[in-house]
Amino acid sequence: MSRYTDKQILDLAANRILILDGAMGTMIQQHKLEEEDYRGEQYKDWHCDIKGNNDLLAITQPQIIYDIHCQYLEAGADIIETNTFNATTISMADYDMQAISRDINITAAQLARKACDEYTAQNPDKPRLVAGVIGPTSRTASISPDVNDPGKRNVTFDELVEAYKESCEALIEGGSDLILIETIFDTLNAKAAAFAVETVFEKLDLRLPVMISGTITDASGRTLSGQTSEAFYYSMRHIKPVSFGLNCALGPDLLRQYVEEISNVAECLVSAHPNAGLPNEFGEYDMEGPEMAEHINEWAKSGLVNIVGGCCGSTPEHIRDIANAVAGVAPRKIVKLEPKMRLSGLEPFVH
């Protein structure tokens, strides 16, 4: 199987803005699956409830996941994310399924690979790529889960590394073209993921392009662990990602200023896949495709982005509208920063 290099991704992105897919969870919810659907034949006798374990559906309901991938490809997506957001051993422990984490990652990557290969064969001039998704896990390495004990931690850096290594290796085995470390709310988690990915690359003697996408958690403009967008970039730039950006938490209207902040400093491609607005009182997302596309069209015309898509609440209709909105708009030019010392705490320090 041919492997993509950073240069090949950069060459693709030099000519046009690339399209990432939309939300997997939003599409799964439309199927209104029940406990027995999640269990399938394979896990019908599982000892605890597993409804809501969307990543498991790669094994128990593969046709549903494959069809969702195809809907996004049909809508114009260039990059398809594997259905593995919570497939690390750490997150799978919520269902006592940590032992099958590896199988889920491999199978999910294979499903995305199959869909992408079929659409690439239909139009070889528009190659479709599989992004092996490594999510943030359900734990945070630098924040206490107990307000009364600031020093308490419920996961260590080494535990995160081990979990991420297994996921990364399985995603590569399943046929991923890229590794996407996404929805990062804690930079220490991201560093563990990056270290794990580099370790796997060395072990397998191969290298895939790495995408990193963080999450601004609220109007403060910071990640959950307190960093601004620019500081987060300086914390992670040493791994030389092919793209760096933001996703989730906010809609395109509120996310724009932080995407611009990264666009001004990122010496790589800039990605953004915002939510379809903020959730309403029922936890649903009301921003329709045309409105979302209008915002992202403005981002594109302002030269802020190279890769765009959707996160929570987005559907193939949103992605189609976004793809149409950025078609023909020149992609962002990668900046070349003058040599300076660029450090980061919670804020950037440039000297």
Side-chain angles (χ1 to χ4, degrees):
M1 180 174 56
S2 63
R3 296 287 186 191
Y4 276 83
T5 63
D6 282 26
K7 184 181 184 307
Q8 287 172 304
I9 304 297
L10 291 169
D11 287 346
L12 282 175
N15 302 314
R16 60 189 178 85
I17 294 171
L18 300 180
I19 305 299
L20 192 66
D21 61 6
M24 175 60 75
T26 299
M27 297 299 290
I28 289 172
Q29 284 173 5
Q30 293 180 6
H31 289 270
K32 296 184 166 44
L33 301 177
E34 297 298 337
E35 178 71 28
E36 60 268 24
D37 301 311
Y38 278 89
R39 289 172 176 261
E41 276 303 304
Q42 300 93 326
Y43 300 101
K44 64 181 181 182
D45 298 323
W46 198 252
H47 57 273
C48 64
D49 288 349
I50 53 178
K51 182 180 177 181
N53 187 354
N54 286 348
D55 305 72
L56 181 65
L57 296 173
I59 292 175
T60 58
Q61 301 290 343
Q63 192 62 44
I64 289 176
I65 303 305
Y66 170 77
D67 288 345
I68 292 170
H69 288 326
C70 289
Q71 288 177 59
Y72 280 122
L73 288 163
E74 197 65 46
D78 298 290
I79 303 170
I80 291 293
E81 298 171 75
T82 57
N83 181 38
T84 53
F85 185 78
N86 286 309
T88 55
T89 51
I90 290 171
S91 293
M92 277 294 137
D94 293 346
Y95 303 95
D96 204 16
M97 286 187 151
Q98 53 271 39
I100 60 168
S101 167
R102 177 181 171 78
D103 293 342
I104 292 172
N105 282 283
I106 292 173
T107 307
Q110 289 171 337
L111 284 173
R113 176 82 273 149
K114 179 186 174 194
C116 285
D117 286 350
E118 287 182 13
Y119 276 79
T120 299
Q122 291 173 24
N123 182 4
D125 292 334
K126 184 178 167 70
R128 312 301 182 102
L129 311 180
V130 176
V133 168
I134 295 178
T137 80
S138 51
R139 305 203 175 173
T140 164
S142 64
I143 302 172
S144 171
D146 182 355
V147 293
N148 298 312
D149 183 1
K152 186 175 181 179
R153 299 290 182 269
N154 59 9
V155 71
T156 68
F157 184 89
D158 290 344
E159 286 169 343
L160 285 167
V161 169
E162 286 307 307
Y164 286 136
K165 280 195 319 197
E166 181 186 272
S167 289
C168 180
E169 205 167 317
L171 289 167
I172 293 171
E173 187 176 327
S176 299
D177 297 303
L178 315 147
I179 296 296
L180 169 56
I181 301 170
E182 76 157 346
T183 321
I184 293 297
F185 52 79
D186 182 342
T187 308
L188 196 54
N189 283 42
K191 284 181 175 289
F195 180 74
V197 168
E198 290 293 323
T199 303
V200 170
F201 287 169
E202 281 185 27
K203 176 185 173 184
L204 301 180
D205 193 26
L206 62 78
R207 175 165 293 277
L208 301 188
V210 177
M211 302 172 68
I212 296 177
S213 186
T215 292
I216 298 300
T217 49
D218 55 36
S220 70
R222 295 173 184 268
T223 62
L224 190 64
S225 55
Q227 282 192 306
T228 65
S229 303
E230 185 178 350
F232 178 50
Y233 172 69
Y234 293 152
S235 292
M236 300 300 298
R237 69 199 282 253
H238 63 282
I239 73 162
K240 296 183 167 51
V242 72
S243 75
F244 197 93
L246 297 171
N247 73 286
C248 205
L250 304 174
D253 45 351
L254 299 175
L255 196 64
R256 186 199 188 281
Q257 60 183 308
Y258 310 118
V259 173
E260 183 174 13
E261 197 176 311
I262 287 175
S263 179
N264 289 336
V265 297
E267 297 177 287
C268 60
L269 304 176
V270 167
S271 71
H273 47 300
N275 288 350
L278 291 173
N280 60 28
E281 58 270 31
F282 302 109
E284 296 169 347
Y285 295 84
D286 297 325
M287 188 177 285
E288 300 288 343
E291 185 183 352
M292 197 165 172
E294 188 179 332
H295 284 290
I296 291 180
N297 171 263
E298 188 276 323
W299 293 7
K301 287 181 174 174
S302 300
L304 302 185
V305 287
N306 304 98
I307 303 170
V308 291
C311 204
C312 304
S314 59
T315 65
E317 287 71 36
H318 288 83
I319 299 306
R320 182 175 286 107
D321 289 337
I322 289 169
N324 290 336
V326 302
V329 182
R332 164 187 170 272
K333 292 276 186 285
I334 296 176
V335 299
K336 213 57 183 131
L337 298 179
E338 57 179 313
K340 284 188 177 181
M341 181 173 67
R342 300 172 194 277
L343 305 176
S344 62
L346 298 183
E347 316 274 343
F349 178 78
V350 180
H351 187 66

